[in-house]
Short mmCIF file of all heavy atoms in Angstrom, two decimals:
data_model
loop_
_atom_site.label_atom_id
_atom_site.label_comp_id
_atom_site.label_asym_id
_atom_site.label_seq_id
_atom_site.Cartn_x
_atom_site.Cartn_y
_atom_site.Cartn_z
N GLN A 1 -5.92 2.68 -4.55
CA GLN A 1 -5.12 1.57 -4.04
C GLN A 1 -5.67 1.06 -2.71
O GLN A 1 -5.67 -0.15 -2.46
CB GLN A 1 -3.64 1.97 -3.90
CG GLN A 1 -2.74 0.83 -3.51
CD GLN A 1 -2.62 -0.27 -4.56
OE1 GLN A 1 -3.18 -0.17 -5.66
NE2 GLN A 1 -1.91 -1.33 -4.23
N ALA A 2 -6.17 1.95 -1.90
CA ALA A 2 -6.80 1.52 -0.64
C ALA A 2 -8.02 0.65 -0.92
O ALA A 2 -8.25 -0.35 -0.22
CB ALA A 2 -7.17 2.73 0.21
N GLU A 3 -8.79 0.98 -1.94
CA GLU A 3 -9.95 0.15 -2.32
C GLU A 3 -9.48 -1.24 -2.75
O GLU A 3 -10.12 -2.24 -2.43
CB GLU A 3 -10.72 0.81 -3.46
CG GLU A 3 -11.44 2.07 -3.08
CD GLU A 3 -11.97 2.86 -4.27
OE1 GLU A 3 -11.65 2.53 -5.44
OE2 GLU A 3 -12.72 3.82 -4.02
N ARG A 4 -8.40 -1.28 -3.49
CA ARG A 4 -7.86 -2.56 -3.96
C ARG A 4 -7.39 -3.41 -2.77
O ARG A 4 -7.64 -4.62 -2.71
CB ARG A 4 -6.73 -2.32 -4.96
CG ARG A 4 -7.24 -1.73 -6.28
CD ARG A 4 -6.16 -1.11 -7.16
NE ARG A 4 -4.96 -1.89 -7.34
CZ ARG A 4 -4.81 -2.91 -8.20
NH1 ARG A 4 -5.82 -3.27 -8.98
NH2 ARG A 4 -3.66 -3.55 -8.29
N ILE A 5 -6.73 -2.77 -1.81
CA ILE A 5 -6.29 -3.49 -0.61
C ILE A 5 -7.50 -3.98 0.17
O ILE A 5 -7.51 -5.12 0.67
CB ILE A 5 -5.37 -2.59 0.25
CG1 ILE A 5 -4.04 -2.37 -0.48
CG2 ILE A 5 -5.15 -3.20 1.64
CD1 ILE A 5 -3.17 -1.28 0.12
N ALA A 6 -8.51 -3.15 0.29
CA ALA A 6 -9.74 -3.56 1.01
C ALA A 6 -10.39 -4.77 0.35
O ALA A 6 -10.88 -5.67 1.05
CB ALA A 6 -10.71 -2.39 1.09
N ALA A 7 -10.38 -4.83 -0.98
CA ALA A 7 -10.94 -5.99 -1.68
C ALA A 7 -10.15 -7.25 -1.36
O ALA A 7 -10.73 -8.33 -1.16
CB ALA A 7 -10.96 -5.73 -3.19
N ILE A 8 -8.84 -7.12 -1.28
CA ILE A 8 -8.00 -8.27 -0.91
C ILE A 8 -8.27 -8.69 0.53
O ILE A 8 -8.44 -9.87 0.82
CB ILE A 8 -6.50 -7.93 -1.12
CG1 ILE A 8 -6.21 -7.78 -2.61
CG2 ILE A 8 -5.61 -9.00 -0.48
CD1 ILE A 8 -4.83 -7.22 -2.91
N ARG A 9 -8.33 -7.72 1.43
CA ARG A 9 -8.57 -8.03 2.85
C ARG A 9 -9.91 -8.71 3.01
O ARG A 9 -10.04 -9.69 3.76
CB ARG A 9 -8.49 -6.76 3.70
CG ARG A 9 -8.82 -6.94 5.18
CD ARG A 9 -8.01 -8.01 5.89
NE ARG A 9 -6.61 -7.68 5.93
CZ ARG A 9 -5.62 -8.57 6.01
NH1 ARG A 9 -5.89 -9.87 6.08
NH2 ARG A 9 -4.36 -8.21 6.02
N GLU A 10 -10.93 -8.22 2.34
CA GLU A 10 -12.27 -8.82 2.45
C GLU A 10 -12.24 -10.28 2.00
O GLU A 10 -12.79 -11.16 2.66
CB GLU A 10 -13.27 -8.03 1.61
CG GLU A 10 -14.68 -8.55 1.70
CD GLU A 10 -15.66 -7.73 0.86
OE1 GLU A 10 -15.44 -6.52 0.68
OE2 GLU A 10 -16.63 -8.33 0.38
N THR A 11 -11.57 -10.55 0.91
CA THR A 11 -11.45 -11.92 0.41
C THR A 11 -10.68 -12.79 1.41
O THR A 11 -11.08 -13.91 1.71
CB THR A 11 -10.75 -11.93 -0.96
OG1 THR A 11 -11.54 -11.18 -1.87
CG2 THR A 11 -10.57 -13.35 -1.47
N ALA A 12 -9.60 -12.25 1.92
CA ALA A 12 -8.76 -13.01 2.85
C ALA A 12 -9.50 -13.33 4.14
O ALA A 12 -9.36 -14.42 4.69
CB ALA A 12 -7.47 -12.24 3.15
N GLU A 13 -10.28 -12.40 4.63
CA GLU A 13 -11.01 -12.60 5.88
C GLU A 13 -12.01 -13.75 5.79
O GLU A 13 -12.34 -14.36 6.80
CB GLU A 13 -11.72 -11.32 6.31
CG GLU A 13 -10.79 -10.23 6.79
CD GLU A 13 -9.99 -10.59 8.03
OE1 GLU A 13 -10.55 -11.20 8.95
OE2 GLU A 13 -8.79 -10.27 8.07
N LYS A 14 -12.45 -14.06 4.59
CA LYS A 14 -13.40 -15.16 4.41
C LYS A 14 -12.75 -16.52 4.65
O LYS A 14 -13.44 -17.48 4.96
CB LYS A 14 -14.00 -15.12 3.00
CG LYS A 14 -14.89 -13.93 2.77
CD LYS A 14 -15.36 -13.86 1.34
CE LYS A 14 -16.16 -12.59 1.10
NZ LYS A 14 -16.48 -12.41 -0.32
N SER A 15 -11.42 -16.58 4.49
CA SER A 15 -10.78 -17.89 4.65
C SER A 15 -9.57 -17.88 5.59
O SER A 15 -9.19 -18.92 6.08
CB SER A 15 -10.36 -18.43 3.29
OG SER A 15 -9.36 -17.61 2.73
N SER A 16 -8.96 -16.74 5.83
CA SER A 16 -7.74 -16.71 6.63
C SER A 16 -7.55 -15.35 7.27
O SER A 16 -7.06 -14.43 6.64
CB SER A 16 -6.53 -17.04 5.75
OG SER A 16 -5.33 -16.83 6.45
N ALA A 17 -7.94 -15.24 8.52
CA ALA A 17 -7.84 -13.95 9.21
C ALA A 17 -6.40 -13.49 9.36
O ALA A 17 -6.14 -12.31 9.52
CB ALA A 17 -8.50 -14.04 10.58
N GLY A 18 -5.45 -14.40 9.29
CA GLY A 18 -4.05 -14.04 9.48
C GLY A 18 -3.31 -13.71 8.21
O GLY A 18 -2.10 -13.59 8.22
N PHE A 19 -3.99 -13.53 7.09
CA PHE A 19 -3.35 -13.26 5.81
C PHE A 19 -2.58 -11.93 5.87
O PHE A 19 -3.11 -10.91 6.30
CB PHE A 19 -4.41 -13.21 4.71
CG PHE A 19 -3.87 -13.21 3.31
CD1 PHE A 19 -3.30 -14.36 2.79
CD2 PHE A 19 -3.95 -12.08 2.52
CE1 PHE A 19 -2.81 -14.38 1.49
CE2 PHE A 19 -3.48 -12.09 1.23
CZ PHE A 19 -2.90 -13.24 0.71
N PHE A 20 -1.31 -11.96 5.43
CA PHE A 20 -0.44 -10.79 5.52
C PHE A 20 -0.41 -10.05 4.18
O PHE A 20 0.01 -10.60 3.17
CB PHE A 20 0.99 -11.21 5.90
CG PHE A 20 1.87 -10.07 6.29
CD1 PHE A 20 1.96 -9.67 7.61
CD2 PHE A 20 2.63 -9.38 5.34
CE1 PHE A 20 2.77 -8.61 7.99
CE2 PHE A 20 3.44 -8.33 5.71
CZ PHE A 20 3.52 -7.94 7.03
N ILE A 21 -0.85 -8.81 4.18
CA ILE A 21 -0.79 -7.96 2.99
C ILE A 21 0.32 -6.94 3.20
O ILE A 21 0.18 -6.02 4.01
CB ILE A 21 -2.13 -7.24 2.73
CG1 ILE A 21 -3.27 -8.24 2.58
CG2 ILE A 21 -2.01 -6.34 1.49
CD1 ILE A 21 -4.66 -7.60 2.57
N ASN A 22 1.42 -7.14 2.50
CA ASN A 22 2.54 -6.21 2.57
C ASN A 22 2.33 -5.17 1.47
O ASN A 22 2.62 -5.41 0.31
CB ASN A 22 3.86 -6.96 2.37
CG ASN A 22 5.05 -6.19 2.87
OD1 ASN A 22 4.94 -5.34 3.75
ND2 ASN A 22 6.20 -6.49 2.31
N ALA A 23 1.76 -4.03 1.85
CA ALA A 23 1.41 -2.98 0.89
C ALA A 23 2.67 -2.25 0.46
O ALA A 23 3.31 -1.57 1.25
CB ALA A 23 0.41 -2.02 1.52
N ARG A 24 3.01 -2.42 -0.80
CA ARG A 24 4.24 -1.85 -1.34
C ARG A 24 3.93 -0.54 -2.05
O ARG A 24 3.03 -0.48 -2.88
CB ARG A 24 4.85 -2.83 -2.33
CG ARG A 24 6.01 -2.29 -3.12
CD ARG A 24 6.58 -3.34 -4.03
NE ARG A 24 7.26 -2.72 -5.16
CZ ARG A 24 8.11 -3.36 -5.95
NH1 ARG A 24 8.37 -4.64 -5.76
NH2 ARG A 24 8.68 -2.73 -6.95
N THR A 25 4.68 0.50 -1.71
CA THR A 25 4.60 1.73 -2.48
C THR A 25 5.87 1.89 -3.29
O THR A 25 6.97 1.70 -2.79
CB THR A 25 4.36 2.98 -1.62
OG1 THR A 25 4.18 4.09 -2.51
CG2 THR A 25 5.51 3.27 -0.66
N ASP A 26 5.69 2.23 -4.55
CA ASP A 26 6.83 2.45 -5.43
C ASP A 26 7.16 3.93 -5.58
O ASP A 26 7.78 4.34 -6.56
CB ASP A 26 6.59 1.80 -6.79
CG ASP A 26 6.86 0.31 -6.77
OD1 ASP A 26 7.35 -0.20 -5.75
OD2 ASP A 26 6.58 -0.36 -7.78
N LEU A 27 6.78 4.73 -4.60
CA LEU A 27 7.13 6.15 -4.62
C LEU A 27 8.63 6.37 -4.77
O LEU A 27 9.06 7.35 -5.37
CB LEU A 27 6.68 6.83 -3.31
CG LEU A 27 5.24 7.24 -3.20
CD1 LEU A 27 4.93 7.67 -1.77
CD2 LEU A 27 4.92 8.36 -4.18
N PHE A 28 9.43 5.47 -4.21
CA PHE A 28 10.88 5.66 -4.16
C PHE A 28 11.62 4.80 -5.18
O PHE A 28 12.84 4.77 -5.19
CB PHE A 28 11.39 5.33 -2.75
CG PHE A 28 10.65 6.09 -1.68
CD1 PHE A 28 9.73 5.45 -0.86
CD2 PHE A 28 10.86 7.44 -1.51
CE1 PHE A 28 9.05 6.14 0.11
CE2 PHE A 28 10.17 8.15 -0.53
CZ PHE A 28 9.26 7.50 0.28
N LEU A 29 10.90 4.11 -6.04
CA LEU A 29 11.52 3.16 -6.95
C LEU A 29 11.06 3.44 -8.39
O LEU A 29 9.91 3.17 -8.74
CB LEU A 29 11.14 1.73 -6.56
CG LEU A 29 11.87 0.59 -7.26
CD1 LEU A 29 13.36 0.62 -6.93
CD2 LEU A 29 11.29 -0.75 -6.84
N GLY A 30 11.95 4.01 -9.17
CA GLY A 30 11.68 4.20 -10.59
C GLY A 30 10.68 5.28 -10.94
O GLY A 30 10.21 5.33 -12.07
N GLN A 31 10.34 6.14 -10.01
CA GLN A 31 9.37 7.19 -10.30
C GLN A 31 10.03 8.53 -10.59
O GLN A 31 9.36 9.49 -10.96
CB GLN A 31 8.38 7.33 -9.13
CG GLN A 31 7.57 6.09 -8.85
CD GLN A 31 6.72 5.66 -10.02
OE1 GLN A 31 6.04 6.46 -10.65
NE2 GLN A 31 6.80 4.37 -10.35
N GLY A 32 11.34 8.63 -10.35
CA GLY A 32 12.06 9.88 -10.60
C GLY A 32 11.69 10.99 -9.65
O GLY A 32 11.86 12.17 -9.96
N ARG A 33 11.20 10.65 -8.50
CA ARG A 33 10.79 11.65 -7.50
C ARG A 33 11.91 11.90 -6.50
O ARG A 33 12.72 11.02 -6.23
CB ARG A 33 9.56 11.17 -6.73
CG ARG A 33 8.35 10.93 -7.58
CD ARG A 33 7.24 10.36 -6.72
NE ARG A 33 6.07 10.05 -7.51
CZ ARG A 33 4.83 10.24 -7.08
NH1 ARG A 33 4.61 10.73 -5.88
NH2 ARG A 33 3.82 9.94 -7.85
N ASP A 34 11.90 13.05 -5.90
CA ASP A 34 12.82 13.36 -4.82
C ASP A 34 12.31 12.63 -3.57
O ASP A 34 11.16 12.83 -3.15
CB ASP A 34 12.87 14.87 -4.58
CG ASP A 34 13.75 15.24 -3.41
OD1 ASP A 34 14.99 15.22 -3.58
OD2 ASP A 34 13.21 15.50 -2.32
N ALA A 35 13.15 11.79 -3.00
CA ALA A 35 12.73 10.97 -1.86
C ALA A 35 12.25 11.82 -0.69
O ALA A 35 11.21 11.53 -0.09
CB ALA A 35 13.85 10.03 -1.44
N ALA A 36 13.00 12.85 -0.35
CA ALA A 36 12.63 13.68 0.80
C ALA A 36 11.28 14.35 0.58
O ALA A 36 10.49 14.49 1.53
CB ALA A 36 13.71 14.71 1.08
N GLN A 37 10.99 14.74 -0.65
CA GLN A 37 9.72 15.39 -0.96
C GLN A 37 8.56 14.41 -0.99
O GLN A 37 7.39 14.82 -0.98
CB GLN A 37 9.82 16.12 -2.30
CG GLN A 37 10.84 17.25 -2.32
CD GLN A 37 10.47 18.36 -1.35
OE1 GLN A 37 9.31 18.76 -1.26
NE2 GLN A 37 11.45 18.83 -0.61
N SER A 38 8.85 13.12 -1.03
CA SER A 38 7.80 12.09 -1.13
C SER A 38 7.44 11.47 0.22
O SER A 38 6.53 10.64 0.27
CB SER A 38 8.27 10.99 -2.09
OG SER A 38 8.43 11.51 -3.39
N ILE A 39 8.11 11.86 1.29
CA ILE A 39 7.85 11.26 2.61
C ILE A 39 6.41 11.50 3.06
O ILE A 39 5.74 10.59 3.55
CB ILE A 39 8.85 11.76 3.66
CG1 ILE A 39 10.27 11.30 3.31
CG2 ILE A 39 8.46 11.31 5.07
CD1 ILE A 39 10.46 9.80 3.29
N GLY A 40 5.91 12.71 2.90
CA GLY A 40 4.53 13.01 3.30
C GLY A 40 3.53 12.14 2.58
O GLY A 40 2.62 11.58 3.20
N GLU A 41 3.69 12.00 1.27
CA GLU A 41 2.77 11.15 0.52
C GLU A 41 2.92 9.69 0.95
O GLU A 41 1.93 8.97 1.04
CB GLU A 41 3.00 11.28 -0.99
CG GLU A 41 2.01 10.43 -1.77
CD GLU A 41 2.15 10.53 -3.28
OE1 GLU A 41 2.80 11.46 -3.78
OE2 GLU A 41 1.58 9.65 -3.96
N ALA A 42 4.14 9.27 1.21
CA ALA A 42 4.36 7.88 1.65
C ALA A 42 3.61 7.63 2.96
O ALA A 42 2.96 6.59 3.11
CB ALA A 42 5.84 7.59 1.82
N LEU A 43 3.69 8.56 3.88
CA LEU A 43 3.00 8.38 5.16
C LEU A 43 1.48 8.42 4.99
O LEU A 43 0.76 7.68 5.66
CB LEU A 43 3.47 9.42 6.18
CG LEU A 43 4.92 9.23 6.63
CD1 LEU A 43 5.39 10.41 7.48
CD2 LEU A 43 5.09 7.91 7.37
N ASP A 44 1.00 9.25 4.05
CA ASP A 44 -0.44 9.26 3.74
C ASP A 44 -0.86 7.90 3.18
O ASP A 44 -1.91 7.36 3.53
CB ASP A 44 -0.77 10.34 2.71
CG ASP A 44 -0.66 11.75 3.28
OD1 ASP A 44 -0.60 11.92 4.52
OD2 ASP A 44 -0.62 12.70 2.46
N ARG A 45 -0.02 7.34 2.31
CA ARG A 45 -0.31 6.02 1.75
C ARG A 45 -0.29 4.96 2.85
O ARG A 45 -1.17 4.09 2.89
CB ARG A 45 0.68 5.68 0.63
CG ARG A 45 0.43 6.45 -0.66
CD ARG A 45 1.42 6.11 -1.76
NE ARG A 45 1.11 6.87 -2.96
CZ ARG A 45 0.27 6.48 -3.93
NH1 ARG A 45 -0.32 5.30 -3.85
NH2 ARG A 45 0.04 7.24 -4.98
N ALA A 46 0.68 5.02 3.73
CA ALA A 46 0.77 4.04 4.82
C ALA A 46 -0.51 4.05 5.66
O ALA A 46 -1.06 3.00 5.99
CB ALA A 46 1.98 4.30 5.69
N LYS A 47 -0.99 5.25 5.99
CA LYS A 47 -2.21 5.35 6.80
C LYS A 47 -3.42 4.80 6.03
O LYS A 47 -4.20 4.02 6.58
CB LYS A 47 -2.47 6.79 7.22
CG LYS A 47 -3.77 6.90 8.02
CD LYS A 47 -3.92 8.17 8.76
CE LYS A 47 -5.15 8.27 9.60
NZ LYS A 47 -6.16 7.26 9.55
#
């Protein structure tokens, strides 16, 4: 997913340095995971 975001950022930088990429994680939505147990992974994804 980080590679996919980087591809978007690279494209955006060619025409609009201010392009906003709101990176959404669905760790807490429809995955059936325990939210408290997913915080560490969420923070790893954010970084």
